[in-house]
Amino acid sequence: VCCRCVAADGGVSPSLTSVGERLGLIKSEPVFLEPERAFVFSAEVAAAGSISAQWQIADGYYLYRDKFTFRLQEAPAGVALAAAVFPQGDFKDDEFFGRMEVYHRQVEALLPVTRSQDSQAAQAAVVLEVGYQGCADQGFCYPPMKRTVTLELPAGEVTTAPAVVNPAAESAPQDRIAQSLLEGNLWVNLAGFFGFGLLLAFTPCVFPMIPIL
């Protein structure tokens, strides 16, 4: 045995271990990245005041589509998150969860932000909490992870969309009746109500009341 192949502590030296691995005599355990390096997370304010959450995924790793969660830890009154919008992912027969939709290399989730009129006039600082979970292709699955980030939403204009009126459209019957009551003569309206009352007295719903009357 070569003396340089034995480490000072009596173990096998790294050079001998490397030779053994290449010859297939020694099996080395795979080394996995730290979760912060395997899934690099970032977030920013996107167009129209929405939030863009992004992940850069290392080669040989993936994130689960249905493991993403989003929550505003801190936000002014009237500010809330709508349902996140995701791109189409890849489908994988996962040994942990079965057939799952996953993302490789990178993924971006768009988070629409809803704001009441009172909260649109000023900037809004929010604390976003995101949750996600991923695995390595070599069979190692990370526990669920959470990250928080503080973002500044820009002020928005309080606008009210005008009602669109189509004069060519036919009005509903109840609208025509209401209009005639507003514009018609009082005695004509009373006579109309009396006439409608007589007609209602001959509807089938009133027949069971005849013996009582």
Side-chain angles (χ1 to χ4, degrees):
V1 178
C2 176
C3 295
R4 288 186 296 178
C5 295
V6 180
D9 58 358
V12 181
S13 69
S15 60
L16 182 58
T17 302
S18 178
V19 173
E21 290 176 356
R22 289 197 295 269
L23 294 177
L25 301 176
I26 301 176
K27 293 184 178 180
S28 61
E29 293 295 330
V31 178
F32 299 103
L33 296 175
E34 294 293 327
E36 294 79 7
R37 296 179 56 192
F39 315 106
V40 181
F41 166 71
S42 63
E44 62 182 0
V45 177
S50 59
I51 298 176
S52 172
Q54 306 171 23
W55 286 265
Q56 299 297 324
I57 306 171
D59 293 338
Y61 296 80
Y62 57 90
L63 287 172
Y64 294 107
R65 164 67 177 84
D66 67 346
K67 303 299 181 182
F68 289 103
T69 59
F70 304 95
R71 183 176 70 92
L72 290 179
Q73 276 190 351
E74 300 178 14
V79 178
L81 288 179
V85 180
F86 282 91
Q88 179 67 46
D90 306 319
F91 285 93
K92 176 182 178 65
D93 291 325
D94 187 81
E95 61 179 308
F96 298 101
F97 301 105
R99 185 168 178 80
M100 300 285 289
E101 185 177 1
V102 300
Y103 294 105
H104 296 90
R105 293 179 293 279
Q106 64 178 7
V107 60
E108 178 185 12
L110 189 63
L111 310 176
V113 179
T114 61
R115 302 179 64 173
S116 63
Q117 290 189 348
D118 295 337
S119 67
Q120 288 180 349
Q123 292 183 343
V126 298
V127 178
L128 173 68
E129 178 190 86
V130 299
Y132 53 96
Q133 185 177 12
C135 294
D137 290 334
Q138 292 182 326
F140 177 77
C141 195
Y142 292 86
M145 294 161 275
K146 290 186 181 295
R147 298 289 184 270
T148 57
V149 60
T150 301
L151 299 169
E152 190 78 22
L153 300 178
E157 296 182 0
V158 180
T159 57
T160 303
V164 178
V165 179
N166 185 3
E170 183 180 358
S171 60
Q174 62 267 24
D175 295 334
R176 294 197 299 268
I177 294 174
Q179 189 68 21
S180 63
L181 291 176
L182 291 175
E183 298 178 355
N185 184 273
L186 175 61
W187 295 107
V188 175
N189 290 335
L190 291 177
F193 277 115
F194 182 76
F196 286 131
L198 289 178
L199 293 177
L200 289 174
F202 294 99
T203 58
C205 298
V206 184
F207 291 165
M209 299 295 295
I210 293 178
I212 298 176
L213 295 176

